[in-house]
Amino acid sequence: MEKNESTKSDLIELKTMFSNDETVTFREFCCKKEPSICFCITFVNGMIDKNSIHSQIIKPIIEAELDDTLDINQLLNLISKEIVSAASVQQSSGLDNIIPFLLTGNTILFVREFNKVIIIDTSDWDKRAITEPESERTVTGPREGFTENIGTNVMLIRRKFKTRNLKLEFKDIGSETKTKICICYIEGIVNKKILQELNRRIEKIDIDGILDAQYLQELIKDSPMSPFKTIGYTERPDVVAGKLLEGRIAIVCEGTPVAITVPFTFVEYFNVNEDYYSNFYYATINRIIRWVGFFLASSVPAIYLALVTFHQEMLPTQLLLSISASRQNVPFPTIVEAILMLFVFELLRETSVRMPTVIGQTISIVGALVIGQAAVEAELVSAPMIIVAALTGITSFVVPKMQGELIIIRLVFLMSAAYIGLYGYLFSVIGMFIHLASLRSFGIPYMLDIGTFKPSDAKDIMVRAPWQEMKTRPKLVVQKNRNRVGRETKEGDNGEK
Amino acid sequence: MNKEKISDIQSVKLMILFIFGSTLVIGTGGEAGRDAWISIFIAVILAIPIYLVYSRILSLFPGKDLFEILELNFGKFFGRIISLPFIWFAFHLGALVLRNFGEFISTVGLPETPKIVPIIIFGLLCIWGAKAGIETLAKCSEYFIIFVVFLLIVFSFLTIPIIDTDNIFPVLGSGYKEIMSGILSAFTFPFGEVVIFMMIFSSLRSKSSTSKVFISALLLSGVTIALLSVRNIMILGPDTIEAVYFPSYFAIGRVNIGNFLQRMEIAVTVVFILSGFIKIALCLTATARGVARVIGFDDYKILITPTGLLMVNLARNIYEDIVEMFDWAFKVWPYYAFPFQVILPVLIWIFIELKQRAKNKANTTEVTIDDGSSG
Amino acid sequence: MVKNNKLFCVITMLICSCIIFTGCWNYREVEQLAIASGVAVDEKSDGITHLTIEVVNIGRDGKATYEPKYIESDGYTFFEAARKAVTKEGKKIYWSHAKVVIISEEIARKDIAKYLDFLFRDAETREDIWLLISKEKTAGEILQSKGMLKPIVSFQIDDAMRSQKSITRFPFIQLYEFFDRLFYKQVAPILPTINLVEQHGEKSTHVGGTAIFKGEKLIGFLNEEDTKSMLWLRDEVKGGLIILKNAAGTDDNVTLEIYKSKSKITPIVQEGVLKMKVEVDVDVSVGEIMGTSDFISSPGRQKLKAFAEKRVEEDINTMYTLVRDNYNADVFGFGRNIEMKMPDVWKQIKDDWDNFYAELELELNVKVNIRGSATTRVPLKAGK
């Protein structure tokens, strides 16, 4: 039991703490029948719903028939159980416990000078509505995307699972921001080892603030120096649901319209939710196109450079002649030309991303006219190089999540091709394979062991098999409960390997 | 020290790529002329018992590599002494392949670039690969073998218009002496080189299937090499094969489909680089492991960089020029490699087997351990 | 931190070396190359090799233009002459896209291998290049003639050879096949010949006929008709025409079009004598009947067939005797055939093959199958 003064000073302390903060409002009132019982509520303006404070807290309390003889606990119980009609009410004490609630839109009810308070959820602030995600559009899939509000986001995920197996674990991270994150997984499917590893890594985080899921991503990812992602991200609840069903773990982070998923393997770059919403033949073709796009986006400049400056014998004669003709009078060596054009393309892309749409169009027109037409006519760059840069640019959007990685890969390939031709290119490809093969994401190999997996695991990589055929979850991630589609599954497929 | 584990199928793939190594480019069994493929087939059959010896030695001591087995059986001092020739063999082989690669690149691809440049770069790449560990190499090999097999199949099909089946006739026309020396050459290069795997196969997952791994890799790669040899003979004829350094490269160079698909020699280069990378990286791993064991290091990976750089040096200085390299590869190598590949392993096997038997007599409980192993 | 520094150093080193070393070694800009399309080899009187190199001169004047440019260059060796051409052209001559090598008759008669060594050895030149023997005075003038369809003569020859390979006017032999034969001593290499013909007042190239070698020396030529007969004995006839003058005793000339031909060549021992048994099986259709004779009805066809068989047989025999007796060159690969099918016999006669070949008899059996008469049933003639 604390003394009376201490509560008084709690309230006073709170007042002094926020004396210059006009958003924190204190409102004192008394019970109509028993004016000796005074109340004070405090809330942050702009985060609360004034109507509900008025109708659910102030009005009932003022009109309530309270009795002065009740001791504090009885009084609080009475108020929280019979008088206040808000949906979420809890009792608490101690400033350190109270302040986080206050700052997330709750209303704190102080009774007289007592140390115990009632916390009433009245939060209501302006939120963005659920809209279609910008970066992951689909034609036929659901149109909802995550928002900045963690409650909404968790709700969006929960709506898809109507069983108790979906587990949500909330945590606060960041010494200053106390950002709320939520770890979602499905009990019974998730690999416990991965979950433990994830929790261990999250415990280890020591940072002042998490403003975006990207902070979190970098803090918990494997091989942080690698350009490749070992953690997935998505703006779409349906994708998260899909990943959860594959046995992965999703983390939703306060203030970020993006959920991150672990573990992440290389093939996930190429799997898009749209694949699962359309005919599987079509989806398979699209996937193959994405793989080809990855190859083109990473290798076309390097291969072109190698062919034109080292291995001219490999070009058909007519092509060699045309390339040679278009390179007449061009002042730059091919390698400089290539780097220049790729740089210009990235420049255009970066500018138009940040620009309002209207100006973005202007930029693309200027880019197309000036670089496409004028530069060739002025014999500053050769036409084939423009084609190469354009092809690279377009194809790098086929795998949108990999854009950043592709820039690095492309440059490395290009440099090594400029060094010793196709041999250099091959060396860097081998290097990429070594790097990819040695990567792991939460203990899961980043690249699949193609030799050891069964055909059943291949059904969702290069091809998208129909659901009847996709009987099991990916073996690498899920250790037990591997059945996806109930019928006709053989015993052997369930076993641990 | 040895937490790395690779599966059986991965080790088969590693071994296939290892055997392909430089063989697909340089060719083997050339002494037998148009019967080279017969020599290769016979060499494959003769290699089977030797491979069984290798796998027997390994499966007697599951989870141990050759160096550990030697130490266990011959004692610390003698075991290390016997390890030395194997270490040298792995080191030397790596350097030879590296040099082959350098000669190949500078002959067919980059004549004006100093030979040392591709050798150094390739050497560094192999060091990186070996440092990444045998697991990573195994995984890489799974991907590489797809490319390799794809290229081999596609380009063998593309050569169909230019093959001349007459070239392999008459079968067995070259005389038995030539065929015999072809067998020896094909056996020591590449099949016998698999002795390297004894030094790194402590990473196998299952214990009982070592011999299966060895034999299936041998048969798959042996048949492929023999078929490719048939293909090359059919395209080039035995006389041209004798005249050129890199028969596969020449054979593919003749492909011309519709005047558009032509000069596709780079495909041969891709196969060579992918398989050569695996081969050199494995030699490097074997050497580093051996050295680490002999001087008593726990982690062999720190030895890879220095060993690799030494290997690059050896590769650079080992021959004067390409003529000497080919003379050596065809005339000296079979006799030089034979002791490492056959005589030493067989002697070790006999010794171990005798020791094991003596031990079994003394202690009957140990019998059960050996039952699972084959060979 | 240490790791980052290391990474930084490595990356800096790589970028620096890329910047410093690119441009050296094998890096060559495509516009810096003089792309050679063909070369003609002559010999000057004093044993000096004289090359005429056709280079594609690329201009860009709004639109790309390709003009031939001829560089003449002398040297004691092929290589020297080729290198010297650089000083005249100013750019490095790039051989990988060369399509044609024309060798003058004079050189071919002395020793063709001497001049081809460079082409065989050098990694840059293609192996599927066309090797042609000039029947004009010098090889250079053929290259400098005027291209009818394409400005670059070498490209035109290349196109013509590929599109006309079914006409059986010349042996379809690429450089590597020639090399293969050269390596294999028992087979006499052959090459197509090239000459100039006048068309519209301009000289243009024409490929047809065969040059016969024995070892590395040219020993004689075959005309286009004999070339076809020879190809029959090599089982290389893929198409072409059989022209029958005054067919079957009539005044009419008949043209038969070959659309399939198969020659089966086997060595046989008959009464202790080794012979080559050649069975030619040709499928033809009647392509043209210049006259009114009936060769379409069953008896008419029989007559035509018998006549055609006899004619082809005669042609082949004449040619065979000519080649065997005049040149004693085994251009048909009979020796190789014996080696393949009778290795034991071959071992005995191998060393004395030339003499043996001089006596070798043919047992020829031609079968002409008339499979059709194009689109009409009767010869074109005025109605009754």
Side-chain angles (χ1 to χ4, degrees):
Chain A
M1 279 300 281
E2 281 107 316
K3 289 161 199 150
N4 286 359
E5 308 90 70
S6 92
T7 317
K8 192 78 184 168
S9 58
D10 263 7
L11 187 58
I12 290 166
E13 210 175 308
L14 205 63
K15 278 184 180 164
T16 39
M17 214 183 271
F18 294 103
S19 57
N20 292 329
D21 189 342
E22 285 176 15
T23 58
V24 181
T25 314
F26 295 88
R27 159 86 158 81
E28 289 178 21
F29 57 93
C30 301
C31 186
K32 207 195 279 173
K33 266 188 97 187
E34 197 73 58
S36 62
I37 311 179
C38 285
F39 299 92
C40 177
I41 56 170
T42 171
F43 51 85
V44 181
N45 243 337
M47 295 179 95
I48 45 90
D49 179 13
K50 282 191 178 156
N51 281 336
S52 57
I53 289 187
H54 174 248
S55 61
Q56 294 170 356
I57 305 173
I58 300 180
K59 202 167 165 224
I61 292 181
I62 287 179
E63 287 170 0
E65 301 196 356
L66 291 174
D67 197 341
D68 201 15
T69 58
L70 294 170
D71 79 352
I72 176 69
N73 284 332
Q74 286 170 321
L75 185 65
L76 287 180
N77 281 339
L78 188 70
I79 292 174
S80 53
K81 282 187 179 151
E82 292 176 16
I83 299 170
V84 174
S85 59
S88 161
V89 173
Q90 55 177 306
Q91 297 180 21
S92 180
S93 62
L95 270 184
D96 286 344
N97 296 331
I98 295 167
I99 290 173
F101 283 102
L102 175 66
L103 296 181
T104 46
N106 290 286
T107 301
I108 316 291
L109 175 69
F110 288 91
V111 185
R112 273 200 205 143
E113 58 276 6
F114 287 111
N115 63 336
K116 281 198 148 184
V117 295
I118 299 177
I119 298 168
I120 305 146
D121 184 8
T122 51
S123 63
D124 181 29
W125 58 81
D126 293 333
K127 300 183 269 211
R128 199 161 59 87
I130 297 173
T131 50
E132 182 170 11
E134 285 290 317
S135 69
E136 291 171 73
R137 287 172 189 275
T138 66
V139 183
T140 50
R143 300 259 191 283
E144 58 188 16
F146 287 128
T147 67
E148 286 76 9
N149 185 354
I150 190 170
T152 317
N153 293 351
V154 170
M155 174 272 290
L156 284 171
I157 297 171
R158 177 149 246 164
R159 274 211 311 227
K160 301 203 184 277
F161 296 93
K162 293 171 191 77
T163 62
R164 61 200 163 94
N165 287 339
L166 175 70
K167 299 292 176 202
L168 304 169
E169 286 177 14
F170 286 89
K171 283 200 164 84
D172 292 334
I173 318 183
S175 53
E176 292 301 321
T177 56
K178 293 276 178 221
T179 312
K180 199 183 259 183
I181 63 162
C182 173
I183 303 170
C184 322
Y185 58 91
I186 296 179
E187 183 88 54
I189 299 179
V190 73
N191 185 340
K192 282 273 158 37
K193 270 189 206 149
I194 299 175
L195 189 63
Q196 276 166 13
E197 178 65 24
L198 177 69
N199 277 323
R200 194 184 61 79
R201 288 191 196 177
I202 288 179
E203 296 303 326
K204 266 171 60 185
I205 292 177
D206 180 19
I207 193 173
D208 55 350
I210 301 275
L211 299 183
D212 187 279
Q214 179 67 31
Y215 287 51
L216 197 63
Q217 247 186 66
E218 281 181 11
L219 288 169
I220 60 172
K221 94 182 244 206
D222 308 58
S223 3
M225 297 310 286
S226 166
F228 291 96
K229 290 188 184 68
T230 47
I231 290 178
Y233 70 92
T234 178
E235 283 188 77
R236 308 183 60 96
D238 53 320
V239 174
V240 168
K243 303 263 186 219
L244 289 179
L245 283 176
E246 283 172 6
R248 297 178 209 277
I249 304 165
I251 305 168
V252 186
C253 179
E254 172 88 76
T256 316
V258 158
I260 61 181
T261 55
V262 294
F264 183 77
T265 53
F266 190 66
V267 289
E268 281 181 65
Y269 275 124
F270 301 94
N271 297 1
V272 173
N273 60 337
E274 182 96 33
D275 292 349
Y276 303 101
Y277 306 142
S278 49
N279 178 301
F280 55 86
Y281 291 119
Y282 180 60
T284 303
I285 291 170
N286 281 345
R287 262 192 202 171
I288 293 170
I289 287 175
R290 264 173 243 139
W291 284 95
V292 173
F294 166 65
F295 167 72
L296 291 179
S298 57
S299 307
V300 164
I303 291 179
Y304 173 78
L305 181 79
L307 286 182
V308 168
T309 58
F310 283 90
H311 309 275
Q312 288 96 346
E313 75 274 5
M314 284 179 65
L315 295 166
T317 310
Q318 200 51 53
L319 189 59
L320 176 71
L321 292 178
S322 333
I323 291 175
S324 180
S326 65
R327 278 209 34 89
Q328 301 289 325
N329 307 335
V330 173
F332 306 111
T334 317
I335 168 74
V336 176
E337 217 189 343
I339 292 176
L340 211 66
M341 284 314 296
L342 293 178
F343 180 70
V344 166
F345 176 80
E346 294 303 331
L347 209 63
L348 279 176
R349 181 190 56 79
E350 184 61 23
T351 355
S352 50
V353 164
R354 311 264 167 260
M355 285 288 146
T357 337
V358 191
I359 305 177
Q361 282 174 356
T362 325
I363 286 174
S364 44
I365 289 171
V366 168
L369 282 184
V370 170
I371 289 152
Q373 196 82 36
V376 173
E377 267 172 29
E379 293 179 341
L380 285 175
V381 268
S382 61
M385 188 47 83
I386 301 267
I387 297 171
V388 165
L391 189 65
T392 320
I394 293 165
T395 46
S396 65
F397 289 110
V398 175
V399 193
K401 286 187 181 167
M402 217 198 248
Q403 268 185 48
E405 291 88 321
L406 275 175
I407 297 174
I408 296 171
I409 300 174
R410 196 182 299 146
L411 203 67
V412 171
F413 282 8
L414 188 69
M415 281 299 183
S416 27
Y419 199 43
I420 44 172
L422 278 180
Y423 308 103
Y425 166 71
L426 270 175
F427 290 162
S428 44
V429 170
I430 293 182
M432 187 183 79
F433 268 102
I434 301 175
H435 178 64
L436 285 176
S438 59
L439 275 184
R440 280 173 170 271
S441 170
F442 288 85
I444 302 295
Y446 196 51
M447 298 278 267
L448 294 160
D449 287 352
I450 24 178
T452 40
F453 72 8
K454 296 179 200 142
S456 60
D457 289 327
K459 281 173 193 155
D460 200 19
I461 295 166
M462 281 298 266
V463 298
R464 203 282 273 174
W467 281 112
Q468 293 89 316
E469 299 299 320
M470 269 203 260
K471 293 197 181 82
T472 53
R473 304 198 162 88
K475 186 183 76 187
L476 288 167
V477 183
V478 184
Q479 300 291 319
K480 52 181 184 176
N481 189 6
R482 295 193 50 219
N483 290 358
R484 280 203 97 143
V485 180
R487 296 180 293 121
E488 303 168 19
T489 326
K490 273 182 270 164
E491 279 300 308
D493 286 344
N494 318 342
E496 237 171 85
K497 179 85 192 198
Chain B
M1 174 182 164
N2 258 316
K3 274 181 197 146
E4 300 174 309
K5 287 281 167 232
I6 53 175
S7 67
D8 285 2
I9 194 140
Q10 280 179 327
S11 27
V12 170
K13 285 173 179 174
L14 267 179
M15 213 183 272
I16 291 176
L17 281 180
F18 180 89
I19 293 174
F20 281 175
S22 37
T23 323
L24 291 189
V25 175
I26 293 176
T28 184
E31 287 87 345
R34 67 176 95 244
D35 292 322
W37 59 282
I38 296 176
S39 299
I40 295 172
F41 268 124
I42 298 174
V44 170
I45 293 165
L46 289 183
I48 291 176
I50 298 299
Y51 277 35
L52 289 175
V53 168
Y54 295 166
S55 58
R56 171 71 178 168
I57 295 176
L58 283 179
S59 58
L60 279 174
F61 302 91
K64 300 242 184 317
D65 61 26
L66 180 68
F67 304 120
E68 289 170 280
I69 294 171
L70 287 176
E71 264 188 36
L72 270 178
N73 285 285
F74 292 87
K76 250 194 158 97
F77 180 73
F78 285 105
R80 287 177 182 183
I81 294 287
I82 301 172
S83 298
L84 289 177
F86 286 104
I87 296 171
W88 165 251
F89 183 71
F91 183 63
H92 191 194
L93 179 62
L96 292 184
V97 179
L98 203 52
R99 179 57 184 251
N100 283 348
F101 170 80
E103 288 294 347
F104 175 72
I105 293 288
S106 73
T107 308
V108 303
L110 307 167
E112 283 141 49
T113 310
K115 221 166 280 169
I116 186 71
V117 173
I119 291 184
I120 287 183
I121 297 175
F122 201 46
L124 288 178
L125 195 69
C126 295
I127 291 174
W128 183 13
K131 263 187 118 75
I134 186 125
E135 255 185 345
T136 307
L137 281 180
K139 197 170 275 180
C140 285
S141 75
E142 294 198 301
Y143 288 90
F144 293 168
I145 205 160
I146 296 178
F147 294 116
V148 168
V149 169
F150 174 80
L151 287 175
L152 289 181
I153 291 176
V154 167
F155 280 90
S156 297
F157 272 110
L158 288 181
T159 52
I160 285 178
I162 54 168
I163 63 171
D164 179 5
T165 43
D166 289 350
N167 273 333
I168 60 165
F169 295 106
V171 175
L172 288 178
S174 352
Y176 294 97
K177 213 177 135 215
E178 279 74 21
I179 292 184
M180 285 308 286
S181 70
I183 293 172
L184 181 63
S185 131
F187 179 84
T188 48
F189 171 73
F191 301 114
E193 289 170 357
V194 163
V195 72
I196 299 284
F197 276 79
M198 282 171 62
M199 313 178 203
I200 47 180
F201 256 9
S202 61
S203 309
L204 267 183
R205 254 185 208 141
S206 55
K207 301 157 202 164
S208 58
S209 53
T210 322
S211 58
K212 240 200 273 172
V213 168
F214 273 95
I215 299 299
S216 46
L218 170 69
L219 292 180
L220 287 172
S221 56
V223 168
T224 317
I225 289 174
L227 288 179
L228 290 176
S229 159
V230 171
R231 181 198 76 184
N232 288 349
I233 294 166
M234 281 181 175
I235 295 171
L236 297 173
D239 304 295
T240 314
I241 286 193
E242 224 163 84
V244 298
Y245 287 129
F246 307 108
S248 281
Y249 189 82
F250 253 71
I252 298 294
R254 291 187 179 179
V255 172
N256 185 342
I257 309 284
N259 231 350
F260 185 80
L261 271 182
Q262 51 185 10
R263 298 295 295 220
M264 301 312 288
E265 293 101 321
I266 193 75
V268 178
T269 316
V270 173
V271 171
F272 185 22
I273 290 181
L274 292 181
S275 50
F277 162 73
I278 295 287
K279 192 165 184 174
I280 299 170
L282 287 178
C283 289
L284 203 50
T285 312
T287 316
R289 276 188 176 209
V291 174
R293 180 122 301 254
V294 167
I295 53 181
F297 274 19
D298 263 352
D299 185 8
Y300 71 91
K301 283 191 181 166
I302 51 166
L303 284 171
I304 283 176
T305 318
T307 330
L309 293 176
L310 280 175
M311 202 181 261
V312 168
N313 262 312
L314 181 63
R316 167 149 165 64
N317 298 319
I318 197 162
Y319 303 125
E320 213 44 55
D321 55 16
I322 188 167
V323 183
E324 196 186 327
M325 179 177 100
F326 274 89
D327 271 0
W328 207 86
F330 289 121
K331 293 190 185 130
V332 185
W333 175 259
Y335 307 101
Y336 166 79
F338 199 72
F340 295 105
Q341 296 174 350
V342 181
I343 298 174
L344 268 177
V346 168
L347 289 179
I348 291 169
W349 169 62
I350 293 171
F351 181 84
I352 291 175
E353 206 67 38
L354 291 176
K355 201 174 169 192
Q356 208 71 6
R357 209 153 285 176
K359 212 162 126 199
N360 288 350
K361 256 182 209 158
N363 187 357
T364 38
T365 50
E366 299 251 344
V367 177
T368 43
I369 296 172
D370 287 343
D371 279 350
S373 51
S374 53
Chain C
M1 198 56 210
V2 176
K3 209 181 166 186
N4 286 359
N5 276 338
K6 243 162 83 183
L7 197 75
F8 176 75
C9 287
V10 169
I11 290 172
T12 325
M13 267 164 62
L14 281 179
I15 291 175
C16 284
S17 59
C18 279
I19 292 166
I20 295 166
F21 292 128
T22 43
C24 309
W25 304 337
N26 283 81
Y27 185 97
R28 47 195 177 193
E29 291 293 349
V30 64
E31 74 273 11
Q32 302 295 328
L33 301 173
I35 299 163
S37 57
V39 59
V41 190
D42 286 299
E43 194 183 35
K44 282 192 168 172
S45 49
D46 42 357
I48 283 176
T49 312
H50 178 79
L51 298 185
T52 311
I53 304 167
E54 189 185 37
V55 171
V56 185
N57 192 22
I58 299 166
R60 188 175 159 205
D61 189 21
K63 208 169 147 264
T65 54
Y66 310 108
E67 294 290 332
K69 190 162 117 187
Y70 299 99
I71 304 164
E72 297 193 32
S73 173
D74 295 336
Y76 285 102
T77 63
F78 191 111
F79 201 176
E80 190 200 356
R83 268 293 148 85
K84 270 189 182 168
V86 179
T87 54
K88 292 179 182 161
E89 165 61 30
K91 295 175 180 174
K92 189 171 180 276
I93 307 246
Y94 187 61
W95 290 99
S96 268
H97 287 265
K99 305 275 185 208
V100 177
V101 176
I102 301 172
I103 308 270
S104 75
E105 190 185 329
E106 200 184 337
I107 286 181
R109 283 203 188 271
K110 278 185 193 154
D111 181 357
I112 195 171
K114 242 168 40 178
Y115 295 90
L116 297 180
D117 187 73
F118 173 72
L119 296 176
F120 182 63
R121 201 170 292 281
D122 196 58
E124 198 174 280
T125 46
R126 287 180 190 232
E127 273 220 295
D128 56 357
I129 213 165
W130 299 112
L131 191 59
L132 300 159
I133 302 296
S134 152
K135 286 186 95 171
E136 299 296 322
K137 223 163 89 205
T138 62
E141 66 188 283
I142 290 179
L143 214 50
Q144 294 185 33
S145 68
K146 191 98 175 153
M148 289 288 288
L149 299 166
K150 292 192 168 184
I152 318 271
V153 177
S154 306
F155 290 169
Q156 172 164 338
I157 297 173
D158 179 46
D159 276 4
M161 300 238 358
R162 281 179 203 282
S163 58
Q164 295 174 6
K165 71 175 171 187
S166 60
I167 304 183
T168 35
R169 278 197 324 223
F170 53 84
F172 190 77
I173 289 207
Q174 291 176 323
L175 185 62
Y176 65 82
E177 288 169 279
F178 182 73
F179 284 147
D180 287 353
R181 276 169 206 281
L182 209 58
F183 278 123
Y184 192 80
K185 293 213 169 50
Q186 268 78 24
V187 179
I190 48 174
L191 283 176
T193 58
I194 186 166
N195 56 323
L196 292 176
V197 289
E198 192 120 343
Q199 250 178 332
H200 307 298
E202 302 221 32
K203 289 200 163 171
S204 71
T205 56
H206 170 83
V207 183
T210 310
I212 298 179
F213 286 76
K214 186 146 174 127
E216 53 283 323
K217 287 190 175 61
L218 174 74
I219 49 170
F221 294 103
L222 289 181
N223 63 18
E224 291 182 18
E225 281 308 304
D226 285 341
T227 299
K228 186 165 71 192
S229 306
M230 175 200 67
L231 291 178
W232 251 312
L233 288 189
R234 289 165 55 97
D235 192 18
E236 280 175 11
V237 173
K238 292 191 187 96
L241 306 175
I242 304 174
I243 292 131
L244 306 173
K245 272 187 209 151
N246 303 340
T250 61
D251 288 341
D252 304 341
N253 294 346
V254 178
T255 312
L256 301 177
E257 191 181 0
I258 304 170
Y259 60 91
K260 202 175 142 202
S261 166
K262 174 96 192 115
S263 312
K264 211 173 147 209
I265 304 150
T266 37
I268 50 164
V269 181
Q270 227 170 34
E271 296 157 8
V273 182
L274 190 69
K275 276 185 177 177
M276 297 307 292
K277 187 176 176 202
V278 181
E279 289 172 66
V280 181
D281 196 346
V282 200
D283 287 0
V284 297
S285 71
V286 179
E288 187 187 11
I289 303 170
M290 287 178 84
T292 53
S293 310
D294 174 23
F295 291 125
I296 308 294
S297 69
S298 193
R301 261 159 65 162
Q302 285 304 324
K303 254 193 326 191
L304 187 67
K305 180 177 143 93
F307 184 78
E309 281 171 358
K310 211 178 117 219
R311 173 60 57 83
V312 170
E313 218 161 294
E314 274 169 13
D315 282 353
I316 293 178
N317 273 325
T318 321
M319 182 276 313
Y320 181 69
T321 335
L322 173 84
V323 171
R324 189 188 62 183
D325 297 350
N326 286 11
Y327 303 134
N328 189 23
D330 178 14
V331 295
F332 317 105
F334 284 164
R336 175 80 188 102
N337 202 297
I338 297 171
E339 185 189 4
M340 253 162 58
K341 290 172 183 154
M342 297 182 167
D344 298 333
V345 178
W346 175 247
K347 269 183 197 146
Q348 295 164 23
I349 58 173
K350 190 162 125 188
D351 298 324
D352 198 25
W353 173 240
D354 279 354
N355 294 331
F356 198 89
Y357 173 67
E359 305 285 307
L360 190 69
E361 289 293 324
L362 265 192
E363 191 181 307
L364 193 59
N365 188 0
V366 180
K367 208 173 143 206
V368 175
N369 309 306
I370 300 175
R371 297 281 185 213
S373 57
T375 54
T376 44
R377 282 194 292 139
V378 291
L380 183 67
K381 59 183 174 188
K384 278 170 195 160

